[in-house]
Amino acid sequence: MTDTDTEEDETEEPEFVPLPPPPKVRTQRQSVSAEAFGEWNQRVVFEPTVYPKTPDQTQELVEVTAQSFLFTSLEEKDLRVVIAAMKGPLILEPGHRIIQEGDTGDHLYVVTDGAMDCIKVIDGVEMVVKTCVKGDLFGELALLYNCPRAASVQSREPSVLWELDRATFNNIVMEGVQRKRNQCLSVLSSVPLFSSITRGELENIIDALKMERRPRGDIIINQGEVGDHFYIVYEGQVMASKITEESAEPVMMIHEAGDYFGELALILE
């Protein structure tokens, strides 16, 4: 955002979103894709829409998107463009269904307040499979894979969302997403735990990844604790130390970008 942005008192009023139409027929999920360009399809200069926001709203979105796998690969200037293009705040009352399973999708949503239930039809019955809260996003799979909505999403309580359109996502976010997904796919493919699963299953795991930034000296896991997380080093170095009965000094090992740790606690409980 620039110094010429609209002042706080001119910020758009919260928008109430209409209910979506009935679901359409679902098709098979596709790979992550990007537009192809050539003589027949010329790339044009993309000018994203800018929705005015207060400084507090902008800062909140910066903090929320910093936790998201999708946005961590963006340069700061590109992240600012994406945040400026987010429409909102969208205020939802309890029970509002903003996404219907099986529909086509052209937007993803960032949650800054409330709780949104992700609902799938299983054996003919709608079941909540996940709840998104502040800091989470949803709706990105339809943009990543050009597929129908994988689940319905409905507000459990009064909630506040911000909406990002497909055009901004494709032109700014997709390149970084593809680069990061390829790196994660390469790492996961080398983990013995995942050696027998398909590429599609690996991509499902990637969808569940969350980025964590740790300061120097921060303890990630302690020897002897119950472990329920698996970690991949995306950037930087981490040091592992193991105390054994055979040595008075701990055994040390360095993990760098592309390495992983924490899987033994999951495999061996």
Side-chain angles (χ1 to χ4, degrees), residues 46-104:
F46 175 68
E47 293 291 342
T49 304
V50 174
Y51 293 97
K53 298 172 182 66
T54 67
D56 287 346
Q57 289 172 333
T58 298
Q59 183 57 37
E60 182 177 37
L61 288 171
V62 168
E63 294 171 358
V64 166
T65 53
Q67 306 171 38
S68 169
F69 174 84
L70 284 179
F71 299 117
T72 50
S73 59
L74 296 179
E75 299 292 337
E76 183 178 354
K77 62 180 179 63
D78 290 333
L79 181 59
R80 292 283 179 176
V81 171
V82 169
I83 289 173
M86 289 185 178
K87 181 180 180 180
L90 309 181
I91 312 298
L92 274 59
E93 295 299 322
H96 184 102
R97 182 162 295 195
I98 195 168
I99 287 178
Q100 179 67 47
E101 182 177 359
D103 279 1
T104 57

Side-chain angles (χ1 to χ4, degrees), residues 35-44:
E35 293 285 352
F37 294 94
E39 292 183 2
W40 56 275
N41 186 23
Q42 296 294 321
R43 183 186 292 274
V44 297

Side-chain angles (χ1 to χ4, degrees), residues 59 66 82 89 103 107-108 123 146 161 167 172 181 217 222-223 239 245 268:
Q59 183 57 37
V82 169
D103 279 1
H107 299 89
L108 66 79
D123 295 331
N146 288 324
L161 311 178
I172 299 177
R181 290 182 72 88
N222 282 305
Q223 183 176 348
M239 177 176 290
E245 296 179 354
L268 306 176

Side-chain angles (χ1 to χ4, degrees), residues 13 27 50 77 107 114 120 122 179-180 220 226 236 245 248:
E13 291 295 322
T27 60
V50 174
K77 62 180 179 63
H107 299 89
K120 287 185 68 67
I122 301 175
R179 181 172 60 251
K180 183 166 288 188
I220 302 172
V226 175
E245 296 179 354

Side-chain angles (χ1 to χ4, degrees), residues 4 17 19 21 60 87 122 141 159 177 191 197 205 210 212 227 238 246 249:
T4 59
V17 187
L19 290 171
E60 182 177 37
K87 181 180 180 180
I122 301 175
L141 295 182
S159 301
V177 169
V191 179
I197 68 177
I205 294 173
K210 286 192 175 182
E212 291 186 3
V238 298
E246 293 77 19
E249 297 294 327

Side-chain angles (χ1 to χ4, degrees), residues 127-174:
M127 300 185 64
V128 176
V129 295
K130 177 183 178 182
T131 299
C132 295
V133 295
K134 181 176 181 178
D136 292 334
L137 61 85
F138 61 88
E140 76 281 6
L141 295 182
L143 306 189
L144 285 169
Y145 299 107
N146 288 324
C147 64
R149 295 296 195 186
S152 301
V153 184
Q154 180 172 305
S155 53
R156 173 182 293 186
E157 58 190 53
S159 301
V160 181
L161 311 178
W162 294 81
E163 179 185 85
L164 182 67
D165 64 278
R166 179 186 289 274
T168 303
F169 182 87
N170 283 347
N171 281 275
I172 299 177
V173 182
M174 183 62 82

